[in-house]
Amino acid sequence: MRSRYLYERAVKIYPKGVNSPVRYYVPYPVFMKRGKGGEIEDVEGNKYKDFVLAYGPLILGHSYPSVVEKVRERVQEGSLLGAPTEEEVEFGEIFRKAAGVDMMRLVNSGTEATMHAIRLALHYSRRKKVLKMKGGYHGTHPYNFPSDLVQEVEFNDADAARDKLSSREFGALILEPVMGNTGVIPPEEGYLEEIEDASRKYGTPLIVDEVITGFREGFHPYYAKRGIKPDLATFGKIVGGGFPLAIYCGKEELMRNVRPQGDLPQAGTYSGNPVSVVAGLETLNILSRMDYGKLARITEIAVKELSSSGLSVNYATGMLSLFFTEKKVRNHGDVAATRKELYFRLFRSALEHHIYIPPSFDETMFLSFVHSEDEVRESFSFLAEEGRKLWRGI
């Protein structure tokens, strides 16, 4: 097989032959060649219904025609100029209005966005410690991992967060409004509001990480649905339209501290590069006219079918997870208690039936505007039946 041949070459060059850990699985990953609409095609020419969607960015599906055309036009005029462009002003204006923020800075990845948002919060607060959620993922920088300066509490436990913050040692509190990298875990009623109240009471800047959730359930951030007003927020994935673009943004009181307006260092050669910006701008323009009701409907179909397995299913619009347990999953500790080893067997079975889902239990299945109700119903019915068989040991 060509995938095996390519893997044998790749493993000599890259750690385990991949450039992001989630892409590796035993015995070797299937190498992909192209994507179109809601399908992805491997190097052998096999096509799969794609519910990975590059781990979240492709809410319009692969190779959306007008996005491709805008990128083509931009590349012909120069792919990197090292100077401000008109497009980044247009992008900033539409984003700022939709996100309800004062100021913003463009970067290239969610990791950059969250890292600099945390740096900014610590700089502003003059404190050194960071509080995050167990299982919360904010990239691969030191602020994402427990240490003397980074502490964790369980998601959906506002009392635990409040107890930590009461020490007034924490200069940043960061969380995903819906957890997406330990499987999907939505917030319980009132949780986000309590977190916001605690951050205000103890003077800890609140950072809402919307890299996954931003613009997924509507043309707005998830925090807007709950009436939350974070000090800072981060965005990625969808806002780049399939290209490397991310954002940290928030209240002017904090953002004005970033150079050259303030004294917090942060820069990037590719930040605001015009190719990513035009892809993101076109994507936002399209989404501003989209009927998000369609995405909600196919999410309901996927959840209904997957729930017929009798296993636990968590979801938010456009994203969902199946957990191998019959118990409710409300935090990272609950995820750890599931039969995670069965999920990879589900992935292998799905792959053999040309359904592409994440190979890892802690990743999220995504839906797009181009997926039809029939293909979602058929695909998730299959996943439910296979999940049921695995759970029962059939």
Side-chain angles (χ1 to χ4, degrees):
M1 292 180 61
R2 185 160 181 79
S3 285
R4 179 173 181 176
Y5 166 70
L6 290 172
Y7 175 72
E8 289 172 349
R9 292 169 58 190
V11 78
K12 298 174 183 177
I13 309 167
Y14 308 112
K16 276 295 186 181
V18 297
N19 283 295
S20 186
V22 74
R23 300 173 193 171
Y24 173 77
Y25 46 88
V26 295
Y28 53 85
V30 173
F31 280 64
M32 299 298 179
K33 186 173 184 178
R34 63 172 60 90
K36 186 70 174 177
E39 289 189 333
I40 195 168
E41 182 179 332
D42 68 22
V43 291
E44 304 284 348
N46 300 305
K47 294 182 179 180
Y48 307 82
K49 301 297 181 185
D50 185 8
F51 300 107
V52 177
L53 296 171
Y55 294 92
L58 304 179
I59 195 170
L60 298 177
H62 294 273
S63 306
Y64 197 84
S66 64
V67 175
V68 171
E69 184 57 31
K70 292 291 185 180
V71 168
R72 181 182 292 113
E73 292 172 359
R74 178 65 259 182
V75 169
Q76 291 173 345
E77 295 181 351
S79 60
L80 191 63
L81 303 178
T85 64
E86 182 175 350
E87 293 97 332
E88 69 188 62
V89 176
E90 295 175 0
F91 177 90
E93 288 174 341
I94 187 173
F95 174 85
R96 185 178 67 169
K97 182 178 180 180
V101 298
D102 296 333
M103 301 181 76
M104 55 193 283
R105 174 60 65 85
L106 302 183
V107 290
N108 299 291
S109 69
T111 289
E112 279 188 73
T114 57
M115 178 178 68
H116 291 310
I118 293 170
R119 290 180 60 236
L120 176 55
L122 296 177
H123 178 83
Y124 173 81
S125 65
R126 304 301 177 185
R127 297 175 182 175
K128 295 182 178 180
K129 289 187 176 182
V130 177
L131 185 63
K132 63 180 291 286
M133 304 301 125
K134 292 180 180 179
Y137 179 76
H138 309 289
T140 51
H141 49 71
Y143 298 123
N144 186 60
F145 304 100
S147 68
D148 291 343
L149 296 179
V150 180
Q151 296 184 24
E152 297 182 319
V153 293
E154 286 283 15
F155 190 71
N156 277 324
D157 188 344
D159 288 339
R162 189 180 297 107
D163 288 345
K164 288 285 187 181
L165 294 178
S166 66
S167 69
R168 298 184 185 272
E169 297 178 308
F170 292 89
L173 166 60
I174 186 168
L175 83 167
E176 303 160 276
V178 177
M179 296 189 80
N181 278 95
T182 188
V184 174
I185 303 179
E188 294 178 345
E189 191 66 33
Y191 170 70
L192 294 178
E193 292 84 349
E194 289 187 61
I195 288 291
E196 181 183 33
D197 288 345
S199 75
R200 299 284 178 266
K201 181 176 181 178
Y202 298 112
T204 302
L206 172 62
I207 306 168
V208 177
D209 182 356
E210 296 255 7
V211 168
I212 291 178
T213 52
F215 299 94
R216 195 169 299 282
E217 68 164 21
F219 193 65
H220 53 72
Y222 190 92
Y223 60 71
K225 174 184 179 181
R226 296 298 181 94
I228 304 299
K229 295 182 178 179
D231 298 292
L232 295 169
T234 57
F235 294 79
K237 295 190 185 290
I238 287 174
V239 298
F243 287 79
L245 188 149
I247 302 163
Y248 69 99
C249 56
K251 297 178 179 178
E252 182 180 1
E253 183 180 356
L254 283 81
M255 291 298 300
R256 68 189 179 196
N257 290 281
V258 178
R259 284 185 182 175
Q261 187 167 346
D263 60 354
L264 179 72
Q266 189 269 305
T269 299
Y270 285 89
S271 294
N273 79 83
V275 176
S276 293
V277 168
V278 297
L281 177 59
E282 178 65 8
T283 298
L284 290 184
N285 280 327
I286 293 166
L287 291 176
S288 70
R289 304 186 298 269
M290 277 290 191
D291 174 16
Y292 274 87
K294 176 188 177 181
L295 199 58
R297 286 192 295 275
I298 63 172
T299 302
E300 290 173 3
I301 291 170
V303 170
K304 179 181 178 181
E305 295 298 335
L306 210 52
S307 297
S308 69
S309 65
L311 300 171
S312 183
V313 177
N314 280 354
Y315 70 96
T317 298
M319 54 190 290
L320 67 161
S321 291
L322 175 70
F323 298 98
F324 278 90
T325 180
E326 295 174 344
K327 299 178 180 179
K328 183 178 181 179
V329 175
R330 58 183 298 272
N331 57 39
H332 182 62
D334 292 339
V335 175
T338 66
R339 293 189 61 189
K340 300 179 292 293
E341 75 281 359
L342 295 180
Y343 180 86
F344 184 71
R345 293 169 61 184
L346 176 65
F347 162 75
R348 296 300 314 187
S349 179
L351 198 65
E352 291 172 3
H353 286 80
H354 299 273
I355 299 172
Y356 193 50
I357 62 174
S360 176
F361 73 92
D362 53 4
E363 294 291 342
T364 293
M365 292 180 254
F366 290 101
L367 301 167
S368 77
F369 280 103
V370 296
H371 285 120
S372 71
E373 293 185 8
D374 286 344
E375 65 185 341
V376 168
R377 185 176 292 106
E378 179 181 349
S379 297
F380 283 86
S381 175
F382 171 83
L383 293 174
E385 181 60 25
E386 290 299 299
R388 184 187 304 112
K389 290 178 181 177
L390 289 168
W391 180 250
R392 294 177 178 177
I394 299 176

